[in-house]
Amino acid sequence: MTTIASQIVFHPIVSQSLKYGGTNLGRDKAYRAIQYFARLYAWYLLRQGGKEEAARWTALKAHLGLARKLMRLGKPMEHLQAAFKASFSSGPAAEVITTVARQIGYFVFLTYDTVIWANTIKFIKLDPETAQRVAKRSFQFWFAGIVFSLINGVLKTARLQKEQRALQESAPWGEKDLGEEAARETKLNAVKIARGATRKQMIIDMCDVWIPATGAGVTNLNEGALGILGLISSLLGVKAQWIAVNGKK
């Protein structure tokens, strides 16, 4: 019995899960996935007439959202630092500008998000009209940040595709210089990895953009659609963070 218990407790999946959950980003991604599943499931239950059961999942969604806001305290400064660092980078001007704009958008969004959290826990008191205006501004800057992220992704993808084509066409013919060939292969692999990472981020952004767009009044998707989109992007984020922490696909 003890052997079976130890095998369960010390199973690699358990150890990897603890390692994943030991990071703030890992917990945030997991909470987000549950939050958007709760949003989707509550919408489904309401459509089936299960108001009482839906209320439980709606409450879970709300409390997870509040917990995630608490976990993000201080994060606006991270994005502001990232904006300053990006502004001094030597990359293509269009990519630098969109990166800076994206980080500033996230900085303002998360700053408003902090105000919303403080008002929700009654640390500060905003009248309903002001609270609604702050929430809408938060969605607007979140939307702007994702739009700039998508533009950056398109620009970066085009550049990396061009670089990849140039490296593939520069493959030596006949007698090879092994040193040059190794350097070319290293650069080519780096470009392929960068393209893959950019493509994954664009997929996440294309799912996420509809959430703040709806909150800002740009679109009008229902709770079910937003729940599905948020769940997909959250699971992709969970997978990416799992690989980053555990080094395994």
Side-chain angles (χ1 to χ4, degrees):
M1 191 69 178
T2 305
T3 304
I4 296 174
S6 64
Q7 286 178 345
I8 294 173
V9 172
F10 293 103
H11 193 278
I13 292 296
V14 175
S15 299
Q16 290 169 4
S17 297
L18 290 172
K19 187 177 179 182
Y20 172 86
T23 64
N24 283 335
L25 188 56
R27 287 195 299 274
D28 180 65
K29 297 295 184 184
Y31 292 166
R32 190 179 194 271
I34 298 170
Q35 178 188 354
Y36 278 98
F37 172 79
R39 187 172 191 170
L40 171 62
Y41 194 47
W43 171 82
Y44 169 78
L45 290 170
L46 280 173
R47 284 178 61 88
Q48 299 301 312
K51 293 183 179 180
E52 187 174 335
E53 187 67 15
R56 294 175 59 227
W57 289 91
T58 300
L60 176 61
K61 177 197 74 174
H63 284 288
L64 284 173
L66 192 61
R68 291 183 60 235
K69 290 181 192 298
L70 176 61
M71 291 173 64
R72 292 197 296 259
L73 292 180
K75 198 166 178 61
M77 193 54 63
E78 291 181 20
H79 288 284
L80 190 59
Q81 286 186 345
F84 274 105
K85 289 177 183 178
S87 67
F88 294 115
S89 65
S90 56
E95 289 183 38
V96 171
I97 291 170
T98 51
T99 298
V100 171
R102 175 185 62 191
Q103 297 296 349
I104 291 175
Y106 290 153
F107 163 72
V108 180
F109 149 58
L110 290 169
T111 300
Y112 275 115
D113 202 51
T114 301
V115 176
I116 294 169
W117 171 81
N119 181 60
T120 304
I121 66 166
K122 303 188 187 308
F123 185 74
I124 63 173
K125 187 175 182 180
L126 301 176
D127 62 78
E129 186 179 340
T130 302
Q132 188 176 8
R133 187 164 59 249
V134 168
K136 188 170 183 178
R137 285 283 182 272
S138 176
F139 280 122
Q140 288 171 341
F141 279 99
W142 182 11
F143 175 67
I146 297 179
V147 169
F148 280 116
S149 182
L150 283 167
I151 295 171
N152 179 268
V154 171
L155 294 171
K156 194 171 182 179
T157 297
R159 174 176 61 81
L160 290 171
Q161 187 174 7
K162 186 177 179 181
E163 289 180 8
Q164 181 176 334
R165 190 182 301 114
L167 286 167
Q168 289 171 336
E169 291 174 353
S170 68
W173 295 90
E175 187 175 347
K176 297 183 178 180
D177 184 312
L178 294 180
E180 289 183 6
E181 177 62 12
R184 189 189 69 84
E185 284 296 328
T186 300
K187 290 179 181 178
L188 185 58
N189 286 333
V191 169
K192 288 180 179 178
I193 291 171
R195 280 192 70 186
T198 303
R199 182 168 57 251
K200 289 176 183 177
Q201 185 58 52
M202 287 183 69
I203 293 171
I204 291 173
D205 287 340
M206 283 188 286
C207 289
D208 279 345
V209 72
W210 302 101
I211 301 167
T214 299
V218 178
T219 58
N220 188 29
L221 271 65
N222 63 41
E223 287 291 294
L226 295 176
I228 291 172
L229 292 168
L231 180 59
I232 292 171
S233 66
S234 297
L235 291 175
L236 290 172
V238 166
K239 181 182 178 181
Q241 181 63 9
W242 181 279
I243 293 171
V245 171
N246 294 300
K248 294 181 179 181
K249 295 185 179 180

